[in-house]
Amino acid sequence: MKIRAKLIQTIALSLACLMMFPPGLFAQTEGGATPLRQEELDQVLAPIALYPDSLLAQIFMASTYPLEVVEADRWTKQNAGLKGDALTTALEGKNWDPSVKSLVNFPDVLAMMSQELEWTQKLGDAFLAQQQDVMNTVQSLRQKAQAQGNLETTEQQKVIVQKETQTIVIESASPQVVYVPAYNPTVVYGSWWYPSYPPYAYYPPGYAAGAALFSFGVGVAVGAAWGYAWGGCNWRGGNVDVDINRNTNINRNINRDRYSRDIARGGGGRGEWNHNPSHRKGVAYRDQNTANKFNRGESKNAKSREAFRGRAETGRQDLARDSGARARDSVQRDGGAQTRDRAQRDAKSADRQNLQQKQRPQQRDTARAQQGSRQQSVKQSAGRSADRSAFGGYD
């Protein structure tokens, strides 16, 4: 019973979690979906395009694993006191992608991605299917912000413009502290150019919209979790590169070899980032082509489901036949005993009916006597009430 109760509790919790996700999260469209238009890319990328490159790369990768983001956000809230080696040990025990683990260092960013799950999923879909377009859109937005005078070097960040390509790189002023900017996307880039596609916006706790066009919260010191931050923006190549030996000075207690095979294309733990579908955990890709790209097509799954349905139906038919045969045998075997039981029940019923018939005259006499007594009592009460009414009550 305890196992059954625990199973029911687990199923109920799983259903409750699934209800949190937006419709279509576990659905998948047929064939190849139309790529996101430029107005959609601008809309999705506006709230994070001005983040430091190192943080931006981690967000890009982690957005392709939305369920792990939600898990990490909840876990971080519950384990906010973990630091140093204790945090590393706990994170090593989690089966999350390194990019998701790295964001534990930035609880507000994790909270944003978890709360705005539709946005996170859309960002991940775009990054998987249109990496070059995503990277180009970030650069376009940065150029707009810079042209408005809203992107420049400060005490918190360094803004570097590469002369040959005019690529804008954003770095933390200090390698030990990362400042996450807070800004209004509808203003910082100038008048928004797609009225029908207003940008997503998220403001961290404590940010007062309109108080400052572009501001920074409290700097976040890089800690043990940032040892998993292995991604970097490759603007020239239009993708994210990873190196498992990045940030070893921050955390030397990570077993980096366990990630070296899957984290980068070609293996070895270095090179262009490689999406790992095992961390997708059942979340559908945007279209069939993307699913096929990562060997998660629906055709095999559909065949497996049909085979399972066939086996289940055969099992139900066999069970029905067996149950019917057992029932017939039971009736034949126990038929005599059942007949005797029915006869005994009928005899007992007849005895009860005879007894009730004998008792009825006595019950009628008793009822008449009680009724006469009640009527006499009512008459006496009525007489006393009349006397009190005539004399205005007793003194």
Side-chain angles (χ1 to χ4, degrees):
M1 291 298 292
K2 292 182 178 180
I3 295 176
R4 183 179 179 184
K6 187 174 182 180
L7 177 60
I8 293 174
Q9 184 180 10
T10 301
I11 293 173
L13 180 60
S14 300
L15 291 173
C17 290
L18 291 177
M19 291 175 67
M20 294 175 55
F21 297 107
L25 185 66
F26 294 90
Q28 191 165 280
T29 59
E30 296 292 335
T34 303
L36 293 183
R37 299 187 295 272
Q38 188 58 55
E39 49 266 39
E40 294 176 287
L41 290 171
D42 286 357
Q43 179 186 51
V44 171
L45 291 163
I48 59 172
L50 305 185
Y51 281 20
D53 288 16
S54 58
L55 179 57
L56 189 63
Q58 304 309 124
I59 292 174
F60 282 157
M61 294 184 290
S63 67
T64 67
Y65 311 117
L67 280 185
E68 291 193 348
V69 167
V70 174
E71 294 172 359
D73 173 52
R74 294 180 178 178
W75 183 87
T76 301
K77 288 180 171 67
Q78 296 169 359
N79 297 274
L82 287 180
K83 306 291 181 184
D85 291 343
L87 178 58
T88 301
T89 301
L91 288 176
E92 281 288 271
K94 293 296 181 181
N95 185 29
W96 299 333
D97 187 80
S99 62
V100 175
K101 294 182 179 182
S102 73
L103 293 180
V104 171
N105 200 92
F106 296 88
D108 287 346
V109 173
L110 263 182
M112 171 186 70
M113 298 179 71
S114 179
Q115 294 172 20
E116 304 296 331
L117 198 57
E118 181 181 357
W119 169 82
T120 299
Q121 186 187 6
K122 199 167 185 178
L123 174 64
D125 290 341
F127 190 66
L128 285 174
Q130 302 171 248
Q131 282 192 44
Q132 181 75 63
D133 294 337
V134 167
M135 305 299 280
N136 290 343
T137 298
V138 169
Q139 284 298 314
S140 173
L141 289 168
R142 288 182 174 183
Q143 291 169 4
K144 291 179 181 296
Q146 190 179 51
Q148 294 292 321
N150 296 325
L151 182 62
E152 56 188 8
T153 297
T154 64
E155 294 180 358
Q156 294 83 12
Q157 67 180 15
K158 292 189 295 183
V159 178
I160 303 168
V161 180
Q162 298 175 349
K163 293 183 179 180
E164 294 182 1
T165 60
Q166 293 300 301
T167 298
I168 299 177
V169 176
I170 303 176
E171 298 178 353
S172 297
S174 168
Q176 302 302 320
V177 180
V178 177
Y179 289 88
V180 181
Y183 55 88
N184 185 341
T186 61
V187 179
V188 73
Y189 301 110
S191 298
W192 192 254
W193 46 97
Y194 294 124
S196 299
Y197 292 86
Y200 285 90
Y202 176 84
Y203 303 111
Y207 175 78
L213 194 61
F214 189 97
S215 62
F216 295 94
V218 177
V220 179
V222 296
W226 198 238
Y228 294 96
W230 303 334
C233 293
N234 177 14
W235 299 112
R236 185 183 295 272
N239 54 47
V240 167
D241 285 342
V242 293
D243 183 352
I244 62 171
N245 294 317
R246 186 173 282 142
N247 291 328
T248 53
N249 61 313
I250 297 174
N251 192 339
R252 299 181 182 276
N253 298 320
I254 298 173
N255 182 8
R256 297 167 189 260
D257 291 337
R258 63 184 284 203
Y259 305 100
S260 61
R261 186 181 63 180
D262 299 325
I263 197 70
R265 294 183 182 178
R270 298 183 64 182
E272 184 179 350
W273 170 72
N274 182 54
H275 174 69
N276 187 344
S278 67
H279 291 289
R280 191 78 174 178
K281 295 184 177 178
V283 177
Y285 292 94
R286 183 169 179 256
D287 57 79
Q288 187 66 46
N289 288 348
T290 304
N292 292 337
K293 178 180 178 182
F294 297 107
N295 298 320
R296 286 297 186 272
E298 289 294 308
S299 56
K300 293 182 180 179
N301 292 340
K303 291 179 181 178
S304 298
R305 287 194 296 271
E306 289 302 323
F308 174 77
R309 292 192 188 103
R311 291 194 300 272
E313 182 60 29
T314 301
R316 283 192 291 270
Q317 293 173 357
D318 293 342
L319 181 60
R321 285 194 296 268
D322 292 342
S323 299
R326 286 195 297 271
R328 286 191 298 272
D329 293 342
S330 177
V331 170
Q332 292 173 358
R333 184 175 59 254
D334 300 333
Q338 293 174 356
T339 301
R340 288 192 297 273
D341 292 341
R342 283 196 297 270
Q344 292 174 357
R345 288 195 297 270
D346 291 343
K348 291 180 180 179
S349 177
D351 292 340
R352 285 195 297 270
Q353 290 176 357
N354 291 333
L355 179 60
Q356 291 172 355
Q357 289 175 356
K358 292 178 181 179
Q359 292 176 343
R360 283 183 186 124
Q362 298 176 356
Q363 292 172 349
R364 284 196 296 269
D365 294 340
T366 302
R368 290 193 187 100
Q370 292 175 347
Q371 183 177 8
S373 176
R374 285 195 296 270
Q375 290 175 349
Q376 183 63 29
S377 176
V378 170
K379 290 178 181 178
Q380 292 175 354
S381 297
R384 287 195 295 269
S385 297
D387 291 342
R388 285 195 297 272
S389 177
F391 294 96
Y394 294 112
D395 295 333

